[in-house]
Amino acid sequence: VAGRITDFKVNGGDVVEKNQVIVELENKDQLLAVKMAKWKVLEAERLLGRAEMLRRSRVKSNANVQDAQTFHERAQLELRQAEEALADRTLRAPFAGVVGIPKVENGDRVTNTTHIINIDNRETLLVEFDVAERYLARVKLGQNVTANIPSYPERIFTGAIERLDSRV
């Protein structure tokens, strides 16, 4: 989805929930498409009702009703398609987490490959570390580990080894 950013709903450091709106893209064309599709559905419903009434009074055939039903179904599909295109103009958090500093700002044009913002899930941390080859035999999957970092020297982080790289 490509478009121009019209509104950032979050700031760096905000905590977001899954599916929370983060960014809205310009959506005037999509709003018009939804409105047009809704009118087309109403028109199709009116034509279908008229065709069914004329069939009951034997003025029109079943074929006319089937054509009207097909037109109605196509109009409903076009409405769903327009609503999906409109929904695609709103970017939502894929999971709960903490928002980083945005890489773009209001008015910027973005595409599917544009890096917009980071969201970090801080419930679990991935820690990568090197082990000298001579100690590799001591390391096992599932083994408990502890770590600390210079930013929080008094805090001990605990975890377990989930993966071992294939290279030594």
Side-chain angles (χ1 to χ4, degrees):
V1 175
R4 193 166 310 286
I5 294 175
T6 59
D7 194 12
F8 257 102
K9 299 292 189 180
V10 295
N11 295 306
D14 287 354
V15 176
V16 294
E17 298 298 321
K18 182 178 180 172
N19 291 323
Q20 181 176 334
V21 174
I22 296 174
V23 173
E24 289 185 353
L25 301 178
E26 189 172 53
N27 62 9
K28 288 184 285 189
D29 292 342
Q30 291 74 21
L31 286 169
L32 285 172
V34 168
K35 192 171 187 177
M36 296 255 315
K38 285 180 179 179
W39 277 106
K40 196 169 186 177
V41 167
L42 288 174
E43 177 185 5
E45 288 171 352
R46 198 174 62 250
L47 290 173
L48 179 59
R50 186 179 317 141
E52 288 173 341
M53 181 188 72
L54 291 172
R55 182 191 63 194
R56 283 191 301 272
S57 59
R58 299 175 197 254
V59 175
K60 293 274 186 172
S61 68
N62 282 337
N64 295 102
V65 173
Q66 290 171 345
D67 289 345
Q69 286 172 330
T70 300
F71 181 68
H72 183 251
E73 289 171 14
R74 189 178 315 125
Q76 288 178 320
L77 287 172
E78 288 175 12
L79 175 58
R80 283 204 304 264
Q81 188 176 33
E83 289 170 339
E84 283 294 321
L86 178 60
D88 285 345
R89 309 308 288 174
T90 301
L91 307 180
R92 298 177 179 277
F95 53 85
V98 178
V99 175
I101 297 171
K103 310 297 184 217
V104 292
E105 52 191 48
N106 283 345
D108 286 352
R109 185 159 178 74
V110 296
T111 67
N112 290 344
T113 59
T114 305
H115 186 161
I116 296 174
I117 201 165
N118 289 328
I119 301 175
D120 295 316
N121 177 344
R122 294 184 180 171
E123 288 184 21
T124 59
L125 297 176
L126 172 65
V127 178
E128 295 181 13
F129 57 92
D130 295 324
V131 176
E133 184 178 356
R134 66 177 173 247
Y135 300 119
L136 190 58
R138 296 181 186 178
V139 178
K140 304 283 184 239
L141 288 177
Q143 181 178 357
N144 291 329
V145 293
T146 59
N148 65 353
I149 57 174
S151 303
Y152 299 99
E154 72 287 343
R155 189 167 176 192
I156 303 294
F157 296 91
T158 61
I161 296 177
E162 287 187 358
R163 289 175 275 209
L164 295 173
D165 199 349
S166 60
R167 296 183 183 208
V168 177

